[in-house]
Amino acid sequence: SDYLIESQQRSHGLSPTNLKKLVYSFAIFNSIPVPPSWVKSETAGKDWFTNFLKRNQRLSIRKPEATSQARAAGLNKVVMKNFYGQVKELYEK
């Protein structure tokens, strides 16, 4: 759940489908026994996902919001040049 929250804060949240595929891959890589239905579909099941959300109540399913017009307008060449200038200064420190 910590990984999901951190990735969401970095604007890389996972959809339920992607999360279930990630969980299946994690289980297989770490030789964790999985139900046969997971092997057949190569993804964690709906029951697992439902119970995972119940166990981690800080998580919720949300639809992505569209970028606001003000935010899109604020992303221009001058702003980006300033941002990367500040990043460069931090790296030099």
Side-chain angles (χ1 to χ4, degrees):
S1 66
D2 292 335
Y3 170 76
L4 294 174
I5 291 171
E6 187 175 324
S7 63
Q8 180 274 328
Q9 290 171 344
R10 295 181 178 177
S11 300
H12 293 285
L14 293 174
S15 69
T17 303
N18 289 339
L19 173 61
K20 291 189 288 185
K21 287 180 181 182
L22 178 66
V23 167
Y24 172 76
S25 298
F26 178 84
I28 296 300
F29 182 79
N30 291 294
S31 302
I32 299 171
V34 297
S37 61
W38 287 28
V39 176
K40 183 179 177 184
S41 64
E42 295 185 353
T43 183
K46 280 185 177 181
D47 293 340
W48 176 88
F49 183 71
T50 302
N51 290 328
F52 178 75
L53 289 178
K54 285 180 184 176
R55 289 189 306 270
N56 298 282
Q57 294 187 352
R58 341 181 265 175
L59 301 176
S60 63
I61 302 173
R62 297 184 182 181
K63 286 187 175 182
E65 294 180 10
T67 304
S68 70
Q69 188 174 8
R71 186 170 182 165
L75 185 63
N76 57 47
K77 193 171 186 174
V78 174
V79 171
M80 293 303 293
K81 188 174 182 178
N82 184 29
F83 171 77
Y84 283 110
Q86 291 175 1
V87 169
K88 184 179 179 184
E89 286 179 27
L90 285 174
Y91 279 133
E92 289 171 353
K93 285 183 183 179

